[in-house]
Amino acid sequence: MQYFYNYQDYLLEYKRYKLKKDTNKIGFLLVLYFVATSVVSFFALFAVIIPSILSGFDTSNSTNAAEAILEDSTFVLILSGFVSLVCFFFVSLLFCLMTKADLGKVLPLQKTNIKMLYLICTFGLGICMVSNYVSELLLSIFEMFGIDASINMEFKCEGVLDIVLYYITVAVIPALVEEFAFRGVVLNTFRKHSDKLAVLVSGITFGLMHGNFTQIPFATVVGLVLGYIAVKTNSLVPGIIIHFLNNALSVTMTLISEHTALSDFTINILNVALTLIVCALGLISFIILAKKHKGFFVLKDKEDELQYKEKIKAVTSNAWIIIFTILMLSEAVLTIFLEV
């Protein structure tokens, strides 16, 4: 009897150790994402601006050159795509290689039949549309205190190349690399400990990674939903499709708004109509999933020696996770002052 008690005690300590170790790894990776994003962006800008600095060492000219480059939509789009690829794909891949992660688990691609895939994607896209109002609510609260936390996220496309780049860098690349990073690496590292914990951590960190109060609430809700879908389907494919469609719709509405002669009233009508249609399809899919696939909206963890509260505490008290949270919230606050 004494031997059994010691074994259970040992098993409990071992699970605590493994959770702490995995949390340290993911926390470090999240901080690395932030550092890599900052460093790569800086050196990319420096590499483009340095010729003007070398030509006469005129500070005012170099500043004007920097401003001109940052106003070049084509350059900004290319930079955005390059940073996403380096920071979320290559850093994640390097992390997997260094930690000897099982790529089959990090990149789950279990097949989903077409009908089920349609229901999941329309449901997820509907949630994305509703989540926009979460962001708007938070921004409204900020405005009540005289704080404008909104940011300008529009690009001035000057030709077909810019439009193609806009879709690639805003819709295609993020859908692939961010799903790999957060629903692949982050989520599946924690799944061995708890599916609920994995969804929660991957969703919240995905939201924080956006670094501004315009996107954090929206991205957090979407991250939680996409994480849940990844767990239920054991595949990144639905999340990639939902992520792509959401961003592509946003790009399309921005292009219509910026590059057509339609009035603001007409554009608002189109926006509302699109939102209602997508939400209606999402609601229908939700009802079908709830009735015909009853287990889809039930997420149960296996019985574990560690209680869920203890797992949450282990993650939230981790030094790397705390550092990452502080960095991203600081960036979000700084963004407000920079916009002003």
Side-chain angles (χ1 to χ4, degrees), residues 9-246:
D9 198 40
Y10 165 78
L11 190 60
L12 186 63
E13 287 302 318
Y14 177 74
K15 286 185 176 293
R16 287 195 184 111
Y17 164 76
K18 290 293 291 182
L19 177 57
K20 181 179 179 180
K21 183 178 179 181
D22 286 336
T23 305
N24 275 328
K25 289 193 298 185
I26 293 301
F28 176 76
L29 176 64
L30 292 169
V31 173
L32 190 59
Y33 285 152
F34 172 81
V35 173
T37 300
S38 303
V39 171
V40 172
S41 298
F42 173 78
F43 279 104
L45 286 170
F46 187 74
V48 175
I49 296 170
I50 193 172
S52 64
I53 299 177
L54 293 175
S55 59
F57 299 94
D58 189 332
T59 305
S60 62
N61 288 337
S62 63
T63 302
N64 292 334
E67 291 177 353
I69 289 170
L70 289 174
E71 290 175 359
D72 185 336
S73 58
T74 302
F75 171 76
V76 172
L77 289 170
I78 293 174
L79 176 63
S80 174
F82 176 73
V83 170
S84 291
L85 279 173
V86 172
C87 300
F88 293 117
F89 178 72
F90 290 110
V91 170
S92 298
L93 187 60
L94 180 62
F95 172 83
C96 291
L97 293 174
M98 291 182 65
T99 59
K100 298 180 180 180
D102 185 344
L103 291 180
K105 291 183 178 179
V106 173
L107 288 169
L109 298 171
Q110 184 171 307
K111 291 183 178 179
T112 307
N113 68 68
I114 298 299
K115 184 177 179 180
M116 188 67 174
L117 187 62
Y118 167 80
L119 293 173
I120 291 171
C121 288
T122 49
F123 163 70
L125 195 58
I127 295 294
C128 289
M129 289 294 178
V130 174
S131 299
N132 281 310
Y133 293 99
V134 177
S135 290
E136 292 180 8
L137 177 62
L138 182 61
L139 293 178
S140 298
I141 294 173
F142 275 110
E143 288 177 3
M144 290 172 60
F145 294 93
I147 302 173
D148 183 8
S150 62
I151 60 172
N152 181 14
M153 300 173 62
E154 298 176 354
F155 291 102
K156 295 289 184 180
C157 295
E158 300 175 355
V160 176
L161 176 61
D162 279 358
I163 293 174
V164 172
L165 283 173
Y166 200 3
Y167 277 103
I168 291 175
T169 57
V170 177
V172 177
I173 293 177
L176 293 171
V177 300
E178 290 178 8
E179 291 307 305
F180 170 48
F182 288 92
R183 258 64 66 183
V185 178
V186 176
L187 181 124
N188 284 287
T189 297
F190 282 104
R191 282 199 70 182
K192 65 174 73 76
H193 304 286
S194 164
D195 283 345
K196 292 179 181 178
L197 181 70
V199 171
L200 186 65
V201 174
S202 64
I204 293 176
T205 54
F206 176 68
L208 288 172
M209 192 69 226
H210 285 75
N212 62 79
F213 290 116
T214 299
Q215 291 177 294
I216 285 176
F218 165 79
T220 299
V221 174
V222 172
L224 292 170
V225 173
L226 294 183
Y228 183 89
I229 289 172
V231 167
K232 296 302 291 186
T233 61
N234 197 33
S235 175
L236 297 183
V237 174
I240 290 172
I241 294 173
I242 295 168
H243 200 147
F244 166 76
L245 289 176
N246 175 71

